[in-house]
Amino acid sequence: MSIYESLNPVQQEAVYHTEGPVLILAGAGSGKTRVLTHRIAYLIEEMGVNPWNIMAITFTNKAAEEMRERVDKIVGFGSESIWVSTFHSTCVRILRRYIDRLGFDNNFTIYDTDDQKTLIKDVCKRLDIDTKTYKERNIMAAISKAKEEMITPEEYLLNAGGDYAQKKMAGIYQEYQKQLKKNNALDFDDLLCKTVELFEYNPDVLEYYQNRFRYIMVDEYQDTNTVQFRFISMLAKKYKNLCVVGDDDQSIYKFRGANIQNILGYEKVFPEAKVIKLEQNYRSTGNILNAANMVIRNNKGRKDKTLWTDREEGEKLKLCQCETGYEEAERIVAEIKQLVAGGTYRYSDCALLYRTNAQSRILEEQFVRENIPYKVVGGVNFYARKEIKDLLCYLKTIDNGRDDLAVRRIINVPKRGIGATTIDRVQEYAAEHEMSFYDALRMAEQIPSLGRAASRIIPFVNQIQVLRSKLEFMSLKDFMEEIIASIEYEKEYENEDAEEVAARMENVDELISKLADYEESEEQPTLSGFLEEVALIADIDSLDDSSNRVVLMTLHSAKGLEFPKVFLCGMEDGLFPSYMCITSDDPSDLEEERRLCYVGITRAMDSLTISFAKQRMIRGETQWNKPSRFLKEIPFELFEGMIKENKIKEMPKNNSYASAKQAFQTRAFQPKAFAVNDSKELDYGVGDTVFHIKFGTGIVKEILEGGRDYEVTVEFEKAGVRKMFASFAKLKKL
C-alpha cells in the first residue's frame, strides 16, 4: 500500500494535480498539512522533481517547523534541500544574499516592534512633531499599512493631496525609512517590500529564484496581504505551478492587512486554476461541526462548502449563562476541576478562548485562587523583556555597529555615568558628519562639546572592540557568558530585591540555553543567524505543548491549534462581536467577527462550552449586554438540556431603572469605601502600617470592597502607591 492510498479521494486529487495553478479550499481540521507534505513527496518520488525546486511557505515558525518535520519524515533523503519556511524567513534568506544591490549591507538588523517605536520617537523629535497629537502606535500602523500595499513615502505624499495630517505622516514615513537605511536595518514589513523591490529592479535575481522554485506551495493563503501576494505571484509567473491552500472562512487577520480577496478572487488572477475542496473534518465531533456550519453560513462573502465528519455526533454543546463575569470565571474553573478530578481531561487538554486580552484578568484570578496551573499565550514575549533586550543589543552592536538604536540602548547599561545630554551631543555630531552613532563614539575625544564626558565613553568603545575581536574564537554560548562577565551585567540590578534579580538572571540563563540550542541545530552557526532567528520568533511559537497547564488565549492566537476541551468565553453582543463591528457601516467587519467565532468553535475536538454573562465590568463601568448574535445562530437542539425555552433569556436593558434594581438586589462589585478598621475580615485598616513580601513597608491609604475581595491601596516607602487584592497581597500588620 502506497502512502497516498491513506488519503481520502479528494486529498488524493489535491496531491496528484501537480501542474498549473491550484486552489485547495481546506476546511478546519481537514488535513491540509498532510496534503501538502504528501504533495511534496509525490512531486519528488513520482514526478522526478528535484527537492531544491520546491518551496513551501506558511505564516508561523511553529507551522513551518511542523511541516518541516513531516516533510523530513515522509521524503527522507534530499528533504533538506526543500525550502520550508515563513514568508519573512524566506525573504531574509534572499535579502542576506542580494540586499547589497539596494544599498544595504548584508548583515542588516531586523527591528522588532519596540525598536520601531523607539525609532519613531526619534524621528518625531527630529521633525519637532508632538507625539500626543501623532501617537507612535498610530504612526506605526499607518506606515505598516502603506508597506503592505507597497506604497512608498513619495506615493504616500502624493496621495495625501491637501490633507495636512496625511502630509505630516508622509514626512514621518520618509524620515523613518531614511533612518532605517542609515542604521542598516529593516522592519518586518520591509523584509517583504525590499524583496519585491529587489525582484522588480533586478530581473536576473528574480529569474534565478523563478528557476530555483518551479513548484511553490503556500499555506494559510487567506491570510496573505497585497505585498505577500505580489511576492508569490512574481516567483510563480514563469512556471505557474502555484498551489495555494487556505480557508476563506478562517480569514481573521484583516487588522494585520490580510486581504480575503486574494483567496476569493484567485480564479480571476489564474483563470485556469483547479479548485479542490477539502470538507471532511478529522478533528471535531458532529455536533461541534454542525454548530460551526450553522454560524458561518450566515456570511455572504465566502465560497460554498460544508464540513462533515466520520466521527460520532459526540456530546452536545454546553451553554453557561452567568450573572456576572466573576461567576463565569468561577463556573468555568469549577468545570475544569471536575473534569480533571474525574480523569476525563488533563489541564493541558483545556483551552479558554476570548475576544480580548483584557478578559483574561478575572479568569487568571480565579485560577490563582483555586491553585490551578495555567499559561496565558500572548503575554510579554520572552525576547521583549528588559534584560533580554539589553543583551541582544550588545550582540547587535557587535554584529552591526551601524544599528544606532542598539548602541544607544546599552551605552549606559550597566551604569557608566553617560547621561542623556552626552548621548544627544554625540547624536548631533553623528548627524552633522553623516556617520553612525557608534562611529561618532569612537571619535569621542574629537567632539568638542563632550568635554570630560569623553573619558566615560572611551572605555565602552574599547570594551565593544575587545569583545568583537573575541567573537571568532569562541562559541556563541561562551561569547554570551563573556559579555555578561565583561560588562558585569548584574550591576544593572544591584538596587532591586534579590527575588527580582534572581528572576531576571533566570531569563538570562534561558537566553544562554537558547544560544546553545541554536548552535547545536545549525551546521554553520553565526551571530547574524542567531539574531535573525530571534527576530522572527512570534508569541504563539512559545506555546509549550508539554506543560500540563490550562491555556488561556485570544481567538486570534488560537488559530491553527486544537484542544480536546474548549471554553468560548464572553459571548455577548458588544464584546463578541465587538461594539465597533456591530455599529460599523462596513458589513465585512461583522463577517470577519463571525469567521473568528467559527475559528473558535472549530478549535474544539470533543467538547465545547460557550459562556456569557448578564453583566460585566468593562473599562470601569458595569454593562448589561445581550447574548451574542452568533450564539443565536446555533440551533438550540445542539445544546445540552439547559435551556428550558426555545430561546436564550434576554438581558435587562441598560437603563437607570434596571441599573438601580440590580444594584439594590445584589452588591455585585459596587465598591464601598471603608473607614478605619471598618473592614472586619481584615486584621488591618486605613492608616495602619503593613508589610508586603516584595514591596516592603507601607501605609494603607484606602480599602474598597469588591463583593468577593478587598482592593487595598498602600503607599510603600520604596515602591510608591500600589493597588492590590487583599487575598493575593497577604499584607501583615506591623
Side-chain angles (χ1 to χ4, degrees):
M1 175 179 171
S2 76
I3 59 172
Y4 311 109
E5 291 176 34
S6 64
L7 304 172
N8 69 43
V10 183
Q11 290 176 330
Q12 288 178 357
E13 183 184 6
V15 167
Y16 297 153
H17 192 93
T18 59
E19 305 305 305
V22 183
L23 170 60
I24 301 175
L25 291 171
S30 61
K32 62 183 177 64
T33 306
R34 183 176 171 82
V35 168
L36 281 174
T37 52
H38 280 70
R39 195 172 191 272
I40 291 170
Y42 185 80
L43 283 169
I44 296 170
E45 293 177 357
E46 305 297 330
M47 303 299 293
V49 176
N50 292 318
W52 53 86
N53 290 142
I54 300 172
M55 170 193 278
I57 296 181
T58 188
F59 274 79
T60 67
N61 292 309
K62 188 180 180 68
E65 286 169 11
E66 181 186 351
M67 192 183 295
R68 164 57 69 190
E69 287 174 9
R70 292 203 198 181
V71 167
D72 289 347
K73 188 175 181 180
I74 199 169
V75 173
F77 182 76
S79 66
E80 68 279 356
S81 301
I82 304 166
W83 273 31
V84 182
S85 63
T86 64
F87 271 102
H88 291 107
S89 296
T90 299
C91 290
V92 168
R93 287 180 72 175
I94 294 170
L95 292 173
R96 286 288 182 211
R97 185 171 180 180
Y98 288 110
I99 199 172
D100 56 318
R101 297 200 185 190
L102 299 179
F104 287 78
D105 289 345
N106 295 85
N107 65 333
F108 58 85
T109 299
I110 302 170
Y111 276 4
D112 62 15
T113 306
D114 287 343
D115 297 328
Q116 285 180 263
K117 192 172 183 180
T118 302
L119 185 56
I120 290 290
K121 283 182 180 177
D122 289 348
V123 167
C124 289
K125 185 178 179 182
R126 187 185 298 269
L127 299 178
D128 197 24
I129 289 172
D130 184 4
T131 51
K132 291 180 181 177
T133 305
Y134 296 88
K135 299 190 184 310
E136 293 101 330
R137 187 172 62 182
N138 295 341
I139 294 169
M140 288 166 64
I143 291 174
S144 180
K145 188 175 181 181
K147 290 182 178 182
E148 285 165 359
E149 297 299 322
M150 295 182 294
I151 298 171
T152 65
E154 293 73 27
E155 290 170 330
Y156 200 102
L157 183 60
L158 285 173
N159 295 340
D163 189 319
Y164 176 79
Q166 289 297 303
K167 281 185 174 179
K168 275 277 188 187
M169 197 68 76
I172 296 170
Y173 182 13
Q174 192 162 30
E175 183 63 23
Y176 172 74
Q177 288 303 111
K178 179 182 174 183
Q179 292 303 314
L180 277 174
K181 189 165 187 179
K182 175 179 170 289
N183 291 355
N184 193 38
L186 304 179
D187 62 24
F188 267 72
D189 295 308
D190 278 332
L191 296 177
L192 279 143
C193 290
K194 292 300 178 186
T195 307
V196 170
E197 185 182 333
L198 177 70
F199 287 167
E200 286 176 341
Y201 292 103
N202 297 272
D204 60 318
V205 176
L206 175 59
E207 187 176 16
Y208 169 80
Y209 283 107
Q210 285 175 336
N211 290 328
R212 170 74 190 268
F213 303 119
R214 302 188 181 206
Y215 292 85
I216 301 171
M217 279 157 273
V218 184
D219 194 10
E220 303 288 5
Y221 188 67
Q222 76 281 348
D223 295 333
T224 54
N225 58 31
T226 302
V227 68
Q228 287 164 339
F229 171 75
R230 176 74 177 143
F231 169 69
I232 288 298
S233 58
M234 290 177 82
L235 276 179
K237 188 175 182 180
K238 186 171 183 179
Y239 293 99
K240 293 186 169 55
N241 295 323
L242 175 61
C243 172
V244 300
V245 184
D247 182 5
D248 50 303
D249 288 335
Q250 295 187 71
S251 179
I252 58 173
Y253 293 121
K254 182 180 178 182
F255 68 98
R256 290 186 190 168
N259 185 354
I260 194 173
Q261 293 306 318
N262 286 348
I263 192 166
L264 293 179
Y266 187 78
E267 298 106 306
K268 292 180 181 177
V269 180
F270 300 99
E272 70 277 30
K274 173 79 171 176
V275 180
I276 300 169
K277 296 180 182 179
L278 302 180
E279 296 172 290
Q280 183 175 359
N281 176 284
Y282 293 92
R283 174 188 299 155
S284 306
T285 60
N287 281 325
I288 291 171
L289 288 186
N290 289 336
N293 286 329
M294 294 303 287
V295 169
I296 201 62
R297 74 174 187 175
N298 292 280
N299 271 5
K300 294 179 180 178
R302 66 184 291 261
K303 291 180 178 289
D304 184 50
K305 58 186 170 301
T306 303
L307 295 181
W308 62 276
T309 183
D310 277 339
R311 290 191 65 187
E312 71 284 349
E313 289 299 294
E315 65 180 59
K316 290 190 174 184
L317 280 62
K318 295 181 176 67
L319 184 64
C320 185
Q321 305 182 66
C322 307
E323 292 294 322
T324 66
Y326 288 88
E327 184 188 333
E328 179 187 44
E330 287 174 348
R331 290 180 63 179
I332 288 172
V333 171
E335 185 177 347
I336 291 174
K337 285 183 72 175
Q338 184 179 5
L339 291 171
V340 173
T344 311
Y345 296 104
R346 299 172 72 242
Y347 288 128
S348 55
D349 292 332
C350 305
L352 276 61
L353 310 181
Y354 36 78
R355 180 63 182 84
T356 65
N357 276 310
Q359 289 171 256
S360 75
R361 181 186 64 81
I362 295 175
L363 296 166
E364 285 187 72
E365 289 171 4
Q366 192 60 29
F367 279 113
V368 171
R369 283 193 186 99
E370 297 296 331
N371 197 29
I372 292 177
Y374 71 93
K375 174 182 175 62
V376 179
V377 176
V380 178
N381 186 304
F382 175 78
Y383 296 102
R385 293 176 173 136
K386 180 187 181 302
E387 57 274 17
I388 304 304
K389 289 280 286 184
D390 286 345
L391 294 174
L392 286 177
C393 281
Y394 266 98
L395 294 177
K396 287 179 181 180
T397 299
I398 291 163
D399 185 56
N400 171 24
R402 287 173 58 186
D403 186 351
D404 288 2
L405 293 190
V407 182
R408 282 163 53 190
R409 181 184 178 100
I410 62 168
I411 191 172
N412 203 37
V413 175
K415 299 286 187 296
R416 298 183 174 92
I418 302 172
T421 303
T422 300
I423 292 171
D424 287 344
R425 286 172 179 170
V426 174
Q427 187 65 54
E428 288 168 8
Y429 184 86
E432 184 182 338
H433 293 80
E434 297 184 345
M435 62 174 62
S436 72
F437 184 79
Y438 183 72
D439 285 341
L441 289 176
R442 295 176 67 181
M443 303 177 66
E445 292 176 309
Q446 299 176 36
I447 302 176
S449 59
L450 286 182
R452 294 180 182 177
S455 63
R456 291 190 285 271
I457 291 173
I458 293 169
F460 168 73
V461 173
N462 290 340
Q463 198 169 38
I464 294 298
Q465 292 299 111
V466 169
L467 288 168
R468 191 173 282 173
S469 68
K470 292 181 178 181
L471 176 59
E472 63 179 299
F473 304 106
M474 305 176 75
S475 71
L476 292 180
K477 173 183 173 292
D478 292 342
F479 186 65
M480 184 78 265
E481 291 173 340
E482 174 70 18
I483 291 175
I484 294 165
S486 173
I487 65 176
E488 297 178 304
Y489 185 64
E490 284 196 47
K491 280 188 175 180
E492 177 70 3
Y493 305 108
E494 59 188 358
N495 294 324
E496 292 189 8
D497 61 59
E499 186 181 338
E500 185 72 22
V501 175
R504 291 190 185 277
M505 290 304 120
E506 284 174 7
N507 289 333
V508 170
D509 290 342
E510 184 62 26
L511 178 63
I512 294 171
S513 298
K514 170 63 182 174
L515 275 157
D517 288 343
Y518 167 75
E519 287 188 292
E520 285 181 14
S521 62
E522 293 290 323
E523 287 185 15
Q524 294 181 314
T526 63
L527 180 53
S528 294
F530 172 74
L531 291 171
E532 175 186 309
E533 182 174 304
V534 166
L536 296 173
I537 288 176
D539 282 351
I540 194 65
D541 297 323
S542 67
L543 179 59
D544 181 6
D545 298 325
S546 63
S547 60
N548 187 24
R549 303 180 185 182
V550 179
V551 177
L552 283 70
M553 65 173 76
T554 64
L555 285 150
H556 283 100
S557 296
K559 187 168 170 296
L561 303 176
E562 59 183 33
F563 301 91
K565 175 69 187 180
V566 167
F567 295 84
L568 205 49
C569 314
M571 288 290 286
E572 302 137 34
D573 266 6
L575 188 59
F576 188 32
S578 69
Y579 179 74
M580 288 180 65
C581 290
I582 293 171
T583 58
S584 172
D585 294 330
D586 186 354
S588 70
D589 289 342
L590 187 58
E591 293 211 345
E592 174 138 345
E593 288 283 287
R594 186 176 283 110
R595 291 195 292 270
L596 194 57
C597 179
Y598 173 83
V599 166
I601 294 172
T602 54
R603 297 314 93 196
M605 299 166 68
D606 304 317
S607 178
L608 174 64
T609 295
I610 300 176
S611 61
F612 66 92
K614 291 182 180 181
Q615 66 180 59
R616 189 181 297 274
M617 186 76 76
I618 299 176
R619 290 180 293 276
E621 297 180 0
T622 301
Q623 294 186 7
W624 285 263
N625 295 319
K626 294 181 180 180
S628 171
R629 61 195 63 200
F630 302 148
L631 191 53
K632 297 178 183 180
E633 293 170 355
I634 302 173
F636 291 101
E637 57 266 22
L638 294 179
F639 289 99
E640 277 187 359
M642 303 172 77
I643 305 170
K644 306 295 185 187
E645 306 168 22
N646 198 25
K647 65 176 183 177
I648 297 172
K649 193 175 177 183
E650 290 290 341
M651 302 299 102
K653 297 195 183 306
N654 190 8
N655 56 39
S656 56
Y657 173 74
S659 300
K661 183 179 178 182
Q662 185 73 21
F664 178 76
Q665 290 176 337
T666 71
R667 65 173 191 175
F669 317 110
Q670 301 302 316
K672 168 187 150 189
F674 282 82
V676 178
N677 291 327
D678 190 28
S679 50
K680 297 182 176 60
E681 295 177 30
L682 303 177
D683 62 359
Y684 53 85
V686 176
D688 285 342
T689 301
V690 293
F691 176 80
H692 186 274
I693 191 168
K694 179 176 179 181
F695 302 127
T697 305
I699 297 173
V700 179
K701 293 295 183 182
E702 186 179 35
I703 301 175
L704 297 176
E705 184 186 19
R708 286 170 172 76
D709 203 352
Y710 296 94
E711 184 183 82
V712 185
T713 303
V714 182
E715 184 174 347
F716 292 99
E717 293 175 0
K718 293 183 179 179
V721 177
R722 302 272 179 164
K723 290 186 178 182
M724 57 196 76
F725 287 108
S727 60
F728 297 137
K730 294 182 173 57
L731 298 170
K732 293 182 180 178
K733 182 179 177 181
L734 298 178

